[in-house]
Amino acid sequence: MKFTLTWLHEHLDTNASLDAIVEALTRVGLEVEGVENPGEKLAAFKVAKVLSAERHPQADKLQVLSVDAGDGPMQVVCGAPNAREGLVGVFGAPGAYVPGSDITLKVAEIRGVVSNGMMCSTRELELGDDHDGIIELPADAPVGTPYPDYAGLNDPVIDVSVTPNKQDCMGVRGIARDLAAAGLGTLKPLKVDAVTGTGEGPQVGTDDPEACPAFFGQSVSGVTNGAAPAWMQARLKAIGQKPISALVDITNYVMFDLGRPLHVYDRATLTGRLVARKARDGEQVLALNGKTYTLDATMTVIADEAQVHDIGGIMGGEHSGASDTTTDVLIECAYFDPDHIARTGQKLGLTSDARQRFERGVDPAFLDDGIAIAARLITEICGGTASQVTRAGTPPVEARSIAYDPARAETLGGLAVAPDRQKAILESLGFTVSPDWQVGVPSWRRDVEGYPDLVEEVIRIEGIDNVPSTPLERLPGVAKPTATPEQKLERRVRRAAAARGLDEAVTWSFLSEAEAAPFGGGRWSLANPISEDLKVMRPTLLAGLLSATARNLKRGQQSVRLFEVGRRYLADAERPTLGVILAGNARPRGWRGGKAAGFDAFDAKAEALALLVAAGAPVDNLQVFGEAGDAWHPGQSGTLRLGPKTVLAAFGMVHPIVLKAFDLDGAVAGVELYLDAIPPKRATGFMRPAYAPPALQAVTRDFAFLVPADLAADALVRAVKGADKAAITAARLFDVFTGAGVEDGKKSLAVEITLQPSAKSFTDEELKAVADKVVAASAKLGGVLRG
């Protein structure tokens, strides 16, 4: 919401400085996003008079002007067709920056004639689109005066962010009311001078009372639709609105000034009665933005007997809008239900200044005043004769009151405010307060429903900075832990990942459809995303990490080790997950290792196992299964499972097709830990008995087996370890060999086993018995002990 300082003074009688106003706006909850003075960039331009104009000796379309800007005659070469002796315009001297042309003026020679600066057009000063000639000012404009001072451009523009619950501040008057309540002045009375209508009012009505409870209309005949007054155009331009015509500009001005959207129809385009009704499925309307919208039966439109003219409360139609030839108009001032407006706007993907106000909730009691103000402006600016007002339907104006206890400001808001002060604050905001503290809610405050809202109003105006910081009461003794087991698990794996040298990343929970596609697409998409790049809820953490990896590598990072703890959003639920990406160099080049080495699937597996250990997963019982899925490289990926169904992690190399989608070159390894699949610890007792070091020394034995080439080494290690669970405490693979001495279709796997005696040392016979069991276990998998 933008407005100028002068515009604010139309409603607020104040001597407060701009800085004080800006501070107070933010203090009362209207956060100031920026303040800009449009006159500052034009400070170097002055009002100047053309003393003489002669034809350029070397160019028919150029003139050599003698210009006086208060410092004596200056020679200027000008090509404007309206440049002539006696014209008063705007002059920029050498050194002035021209914002519309993005140039800094300097003394230049044009076709052999020296030019000292330029006479400017409105486009060159970014004051309009006219570039057919230079600016023409009244003959009595004071020569030498800075142009911003003369044109009133030194009027700061304030931009505030209005929260959805502050619908009353979607107009300058509502903002002025809040500032007056904050002590920065007095709210001026609103002048409502109704036009005395003659003749019968227009035929308007509402056939959709649920969505449009009230529709007021008034005709004005014999208007002349020219340009709006300069003061009105200046205010609209200052807030970024393009002046169109007097009739259109009046409706826009009333909307921004008072928060009351209006619409003006050209009566010559209407046929019969104009009503608010439900659209028919498939009806279409060409809106003022030049786009055609297809409507359905849930939407409310303004239509006559022939066609639809308006998407009710959102945007008018191009067919019936006011034009230069309009002579008779119908002013629409209606109340639209906020929920209906919001749903229609979302379905059509259409937003407008009117929609922003109606869906927040405009003042339902302001229809008579709104149409009166609009009719007065039209008759004063455009002439014409007004009819009587036709009032169809009943606006939802219901008296609302809330029982209030002033003590709640302290008990709920944390700030003790005297009752008299609270009463003054509420009354300054438009509330009424009876002696027994029944507070009447003004019609423009749809957001106030109960006493907490009244507390908020009191604290907001009194100053939330005045609320003292008070610690919460704490029970004596040691505080009880509040973290859930799930939160504790996430903390453990986050710390473990960081301790292993991984850098934590925090990426968006939303992806583009293109980023989600390599992972099978997302199951949940936003119907109205803030951006198409943030539309799909992520099915994997790897997508965001891959994007971050690509950015880092393109900026010269040699080794990227990223992790993230977050949620995946699947069809059935959201799943807590830890994702890891390893890219670039695992080891830099050096005199010991030679060339730099990249990451491989075994690096990913090592990270997965280490993090599962930190998470408390039973790593010794895990089984390694084959390929992890379509997003992973076949033959270079796997899963870690408890049994065939419970997948705790996926690891390996990311598929090249996925890397291409994220503009990544080279090999990239990754891990996904599924935290909700990790078995939780028992609520009571211990998972295992206390550790007691063995009294006897362990024994190690090595076995080398010839096994089928397609046998997974993990299967052999698990089989060997389970050959004698009482004696064998550990088994690990330490060598894989193929080549000379190993027949085709076979490979050699060497396994080291650890045997731990308990009561007494092993005898040779006992060791041989264990060895026989190991050989027998391998034989079940097709293994043969190598000689």
Side-chain angles (χ1 to χ4, degrees):
M1 175 67 192
K2 292 183 178 181
F3 57 94
T4 67
L5 186 60
T6 302
W7 197 344
L8 178 67
H9 285 160
E10 289 288 324
H11 296 280
L12 183 67
D13 186 3
T14 180
N15 295 320
S17 66
L18 176 63
D19 290 341
I21 289 172
V22 168
E23 187 277 331
L25 285 169
T26 299
R27 173 162 48 86
V28 299
L30 298 169
E31 182 179 355
V32 176
E33 295 193 336
V35 179
E36 180 183 0
N37 188 344
E40 290 180 349
K41 62 183 179 182
L42 302 180
F45 296 86
K46 296 182 178 181
V47 176
K49 184 175 183 178
V50 178
L51 303 177
S52 65
E54 300 178 357
R55 180 177 171 273
H56 192 289
Q58 303 295 330
D60 293 337
K61 294 184 178 181
L62 297 178
Q63 297 186 77
V64 181
L65 310 180
S66 177
V67 177
D68 180 15
D71 300 319
M74 299 280 286
Q75 180 172 281
V76 176
V77 175
C78 181
N82 63 330
R84 62 188 183 276
E85 181 179 332
L87 179 144
V88 179
V90 181
F91 171 71
Y97 174 73
V98 184
S101 303
D102 192 24
I103 60 172
T104 299
L105 298 176
K106 58 183 179 181
V107 177
E109 189 173 292
I110 302 175
R111 295 287 185 93
V113 177
V114 175
S115 180
N116 300 280
M118 70 182 295
M119 297 294 287
C120 303
S121 68
T122 56
R123 183 189 295 179
E124 287 161 340
L125 299 185
E126 294 186 335
L127 298 175
D129 296 328
D130 185 12
H131 195 58
D132 295 333
I134 57 178
I135 296 172
E136 293 193 41
L137 301 178
D140 59 353
V143 173
T145 302
Y147 178 64
D149 293 343
Y150 169 78
L153 296 176
N154 285 318
D155 190 5
V157 179
I158 305 170
D159 184 7
V160 298
S161 176
V162 181
T163 54
N165 66 313
K166 287 292 290 174
Q167 68 280 342
D168 58 306
C169 289
M170 292 299 287
V172 180
R173 184 165 183 81
I175 294 172
R177 183 187 295 110
D178 270 14
L179 289 173
L184 263 73
T186 304
L187 185 68
K188 296 180 180 179
L190 181 62
K191 183 180 179 181
V192 181
D193 188 7
V195 177
T196 302
T198 59
E200 187 177 351
Q203 295 183 7
V204 299
T206 175
D207 295 341
D208 185 11
E210 183 181 1
C212 181
F215 186 168
F216 289 11
Q218 186 173 18
S219 298
V220 183
S221 303
V223 301
T224 301
N225 188 22
W231 64 268
M232 183 178 290
Q233 291 192 49
R235 289 182 181 177
L236 292 175
K237 288 178 182 177
I239 63 173
Q241 297 293 311
K242 179 181 178 181
I244 299 173
S245 67
L247 291 170
V248 175
D249 293 350
I250 287 169
T251 60
N252 285 336
Y253 179 77
V254 173
M255 176 172 62
F256 289 105
D257 186 46
L258 303 172
R260 160 37 72 180
L262 301 162
H263 191 63
V264 172
Y265 299 90
D266 186 337
R267 284 170 56 196
T269 64
L270 304 179
T271 303
R273 183 168 175 259
L274 189 68
V275 300
R277 64 166 173 82
K278 289 295 186 189
R280 302 182 183 96
D281 287 332
E283 273 190 315
Q284 291 187 327
V285 60
L286 176 61
L288 287 171
N289 62 2
K291 297 181 180 180
T292 299
Y293 293 92
T294 301
L295 312 173
D296 63 40
T298 67
M299 302 174 183
T300 301
V301 298
I302 307 297
D304 60 12
E305 295 174 2
Q307 66 184 74
V308 174
H309 292 285
D310 190 344
I311 304 172
I314 298 180
M315 187 170 289
E318 193 170 276
H319 170 70
S320 58
S323 66
D324 293 341
T325 61
T326 298
T327 58
D328 301 310
V329 297
L330 188 156
I331 308 170
E332 169 210 310
C333 186
Y335 179 83
F336 294 94
D337 175 68
D339 295 339
H340 283 78
I341 291 291
R343 286 194 292 267
T344 298
Q346 290 171 357
K347 281 186 176 181
L348 296 178
L350 176 60
T351 187
S352 67
D353 292 313
R355 174 192 165 184
Q356 290 178 3
R357 286 158 177 80
F358 276 123
E359 73 179 355
R360 292 170 184 237
V362 301
D363 184 0
F366 198 72
L367 273 70
D368 274 313
D369 288 349
I371 204 167
I373 291 169
R376 172 61 63 185
L377 286 171
I378 289 175
T379 55
E380 289 180 351
I381 296 171
C382 303
T385 303
S387 72
Q388 295 180 2
V389 177
T390 301
R391 299 172 178 83
T394 304
V397 181
E398 299 177 359
R400 292 181 294 144
S401 65
I402 299 170
Y404 182 63
D405 180 359
R408 292 189 182 276
E410 182 174 11
T411 58
L412 181 62
L415 182 62
V417 182
D420 289 346
R421 171 61 179 155
Q422 294 191 51
K423 183 175 184 291
I425 289 173
L426 292 172
E427 289 179 341
S428 66
L429 292 171
F431 296 86
T432 60
V433 182
S434 68
D436 61 349
W437 284 96
Q438 289 292 323
V439 178
V441 181
S443 57
W444 58 82
R445 291 306 301 269
R446 174 173 173 259
D447 59 301
V448 177
E449 297 179 346
Y451 74 84
D453 298 315
L454 299 178
V455 171
E456 180 183 356
E457 293 300 297
V458 170
I459 302 300
R460 179 173 68 90
I461 299 301
E462 188 69 8
I464 195 169
D465 291 342
N466 296 324
V467 177
S469 298
T470 305
L472 297 175
E473 293 185 5
R474 180 173 175 176
L475 296 175
V478 179
K480 295 181 179 180
T482 58
T484 65
E486 292 77 12
Q487 291 172 327
K488 292 178 181 179
L489 174 60
E490 290 185 8
R491 290 178 186 175
R492 288 200 304 272
V493 295
R494 179 178 282 112
R495 291 172 179 169
R500 291 185 60 79
L502 302 175
D503 298 312
E504 184 172 12
V506 179
T507 66
W508 292 106
S509 297
F510 303 97
L511 311 170
S512 66
E513 291 181 336
E515 290 174 325
F519 300 94
R523 298 296 180 266
W524 302 97
S525 296
L526 299 184
N528 189 25
I530 59 174
S531 167
E532 285 297 315
D533 291 336
L534 299 172
K535 183 176 183 179
V536 179
M537 300 186 75
R538 63 186 179 193
T540 176
L541 269 63
L542 297 182
L545 292 173
L546 288 171
S547 295
T549 298
R551 288 193 296 272
N552 279 275
L553 292 176
K554 289 175 182 177
R555 286 160 176 76
Q557 190 71 16
Q558 297 297 313
S559 181
V560 177
R561 297 171 169 86
L562 297 179
F563 82 94
E564 180 176 12
V565 178
R567 299 291 189 272
R568 295 176 299 135
Y569 299 93
L570 307 182
D572 58 340
E574 58 181 78
R575 303 291 186 181
T577 306
L578 182 144
V580 175
I581 286 293
L582 307 172
N585 296 333
R587 183 185 70 246
R589 63 180 181 175
W591 63 271
R592 295 183 64 188
K595 294 182 179 180
F599 293 98
D600 58 25
F602 294 104
D603 293 315
K605 182 181 179 183
E607 295 296 337
L609 289 171
L611 294 172
L612 285 171
V613 169
V619 175
D620 291 341
N621 299 331
L622 293 181
Q623 299 177 351
V624 180
F625 280 71
E627 298 165 7
D630 294 338
W632 302 89
H633 198 303
Q636 298 183 38
S637 63
T639 57
L640 294 170
R641 309 190 185 198
L642 280 174
K645 294 183 178 180
T646 305
V647 181
L648 270 58
F651 68 90
M653 308 305 294
V654 181
H655 200 291
I657 294 177
V658 176
L659 298 181
K660 184 178 180 181
F662 288 87
D663 196 21
L664 282 165
D665 297 324
V668 175
V671 176
E672 272 199 328
L673 256 63
Y674 309 126
L675 302 181
D676 57 338
I678 298 174
K681 292 183 177 180
R682 290 183 296 183
T684 59
F686 296 95
M687 292 289 288
R688 58 178 181 267
Y691 175 71
L696 301 175
Q697 185 173 348
V699 179
T700 60
R701 290 290 186 268
D702 296 342
F703 296 84
F705 299 100
L706 289 175
V707 298
D710 59 354
L711 179 67
D714 178 73
L716 178 65
V717 172
R718 284 189 287 107
V720 167
K721 185 178 178 181
D724 189 331
K725 295 181 180 180
I728 301 175
T729 58
R732 70 179 186 89
L733 180 76
F734 70 88
D735 184 56
V736 179
F737 177 74
T738 58
V742 177
E743 61 184 280
D744 293 339
K746 299 285 186 178
K747 62 182 177 183
S748 173
L749 299 180
V751 180
E752 176 190 84
I753 65 172
T754 301
L755 299 95
Q756 178 61 58
S758 54
K760 61 183 183 66
S761 298
F762 291 117
T763 63
D764 290 341
E765 291 77 10
E766 290 172 335
L767 291 175
K768 183 177 183 307
V770 173
D772 291 341
K773 292 179 181 178
V774 169
V775 172
S778 68
K780 294 179 180 179
L781 300 176
V784 178
L785 189 66
R786 289 185 64 183

